[in-house]
Amino acid sequence: IVDLDSQHSCYLFSLLREKEHGKSLQVFIPETPEEIKEILEKKKFVVNLADLYERDDSEYPEPILGRFPVRCISVIASFGGIGKTTFALITALRIARDEGLRILFWTTEHEEISFVRKIHQICNLPEFWDGGEENRKKIKEIMRNIDIRFTAPEPFFTVTSRGKARLNDVAFEEFRTLFEEYDVVIIDPFLSFSGLEENDNSNTRRIFDKLHTILRSFEDERKALIILHHFNKDAIRNVN
């Protein structure tokens, strides 16, 4: 037990959590004021903006397509029916083409025929097809890096016999397994995977924390989770 103020205690706990994200958990308990000071100096709570400016961004992993952070969750959110799925499918093609990564697009709102139509429309865009047969073959090779899944997911939360929501370890273990096979996973829409009420922000945070832990366990690998989420139109209308 280390007698520190709450800020330092939270910081030391975060250090242990960061180590837990790696392949093994190594716990170091400081025993002297000097050891505590050494730990705190390694990672300060406040960083001066000028010091950040001096840092080279090459120290950090390059975002996928320059916009999706590595080993993080990105959310594409908007009203339903305006093209999130089509945009995400275009994004998947760009990632496969420009980054050479393996992608799983997991949707619960669309049937196969919907994706057949979408992909034909997308591949007629000048970005992907110039009208030549050789170019069409290249597109098909790009598509080999993208799998589409239409099945219903195991929800992140389940409801107990007493009516309480609890995290579903089976669902999170499935996602861990998916990231061993795929570099990028796209889920559409989030509500179908959560098993929660739409505005359950507290438990949604718990889902994100668990998924972040999974992503960060893949050290030095270019992994990312992209979530598509619908805005609640009625909730937006009621905002003053």
Side-chain angles (χ1 to χ4, degrees):
I1 299 174
V2 182
D3 186 16
L4 295 171
D5 60 48
S6 60
Q7 184 186 32
H8 288 180
S9 298
C10 290
Y11 173 71
L12 290 175
F13 177 71
S14 72
L15 281 180
L16 298 182
R17 289 196 62 189
E18 285 183 9
K19 286 186 175 295
E20 188 178 4
H21 293 155
K23 303 300 181 183
S24 62
L25 176 61
Q26 298 177 345
V27 180
F28 169 69
I29 305 298
E31 297 179 350
T32 67
E34 289 74 19
E35 288 178 340
I36 294 171
K37 183 178 180 180
E38 182 182 353
I39 289 178
L40 298 179
E41 283 296 322
K42 286 181 178 178
K43 194 170 183 182
K44 296 179 179 179
F45 301 111
V46 177
V47 180
N48 186 265
L49 186 59
D51 292 335
L52 287 178
Y53 176 71
E54 291 297 325
R55 292 183 184 176
D56 185 354
D57 63 2
S58 64
E59 300 173 15
Y60 305 94
E62 183 70 22
I64 296 171
L65 289 183
R67 63 177 65 93
F68 297 104
V70 173
R71 295 187 297 279
C72 289
I73 300 171
S74 299
V75 179
I76 301 172
S78 71
F79 298 122
I82 70 166
K84 289 190 301 299
T85 301
T86 301
F87 173 75
L89 192 53
I90 292 172
T91 298
L93 283 165
R94 288 171 176 165
I95 292 172
R97 179 193 64 192
D98 300 342
E99 302 275 359
L101 300 178
R102 288 273 294 152
I103 301 144
L104 174 67
F105 196 125
W106 193 349
T107 180
T108 64
E109 286 200 334
H110 301 275
E111 297 180 351
E112 287 187 24
I113 185 59
S114 173
F115 269 69
V116 169
R117 290 168 179 158
K118 288 179 186 298
I119 199 62
H120 279 284
Q121 291 171 351
I122 291 168
C123 287
N124 283 326
L125 296 173
E127 176 183 352
F128 296 104
W129 189 49
D130 62 6
E133 188 58 33
E134 195 63 33
N135 185 243
R136 189 177 293 277
K137 290 179 182 178
K138 290 180 180 178
I139 294 173
K140 288 184 68 176
E141 285 304 309
I142 292 169
M143 292 180 187
R144 300 293 179 200
N145 280 335
I146 305 172
D147 289 339
I148 312 295
R149 186 168 174 177
F150 298 97
T151 57
E154 186 80 23
F156 291 127
F157 264 90
T158 57
V159 179
T160 67
S161 57
R162 296 182 178 181
K164 293 185 177 182
R166 67 175 179 84
L167 289 168
N168 183 4
D169 291 335
V170 174
F172 291 102
E173 185 56 36
E174 181 175 18
F175 266 77
R176 185 185 299 279
T177 302
L178 287 176
F179 277 111
E180 292 175 355
E181 181 178 358
Y182 298 97
D183 303 300
V184 178
V185 175
I186 302 171
I187 62 174
D188 174 27
F190 175 70
L191 196 60
S192 297
F193 291 77
S194 70
L196 298 171
E197 295 293 329
E198 187 164 10
N199 295 317
D200 192 341
N201 295 326
S202 176
N203 282 326
T204 297
R205 180 71 264 170
R206 293 173 67 191
I207 292 174
F208 274 50
D209 285 344
K210 291 276 285 186
L211 291 172
H212 267 132
T213 299
I214 292 171
L215 285 164
R216 290 168 184 163
S217 69
F218 292 90
E219 294 182 1
D220 303 322
E221 295 188 49
R222 293 174 65 74
K223 304 287 185 180
L225 174 62
I226 300 175
I227 294 176
L228 274 59
H229 178 59
H230 297 330
F231 285 150
N232 184 324
K233 294 182 180 180
D234 292 331
I236 295 294
R237 290 193 191 100
N238 293 330
V239 173
N240 293 322

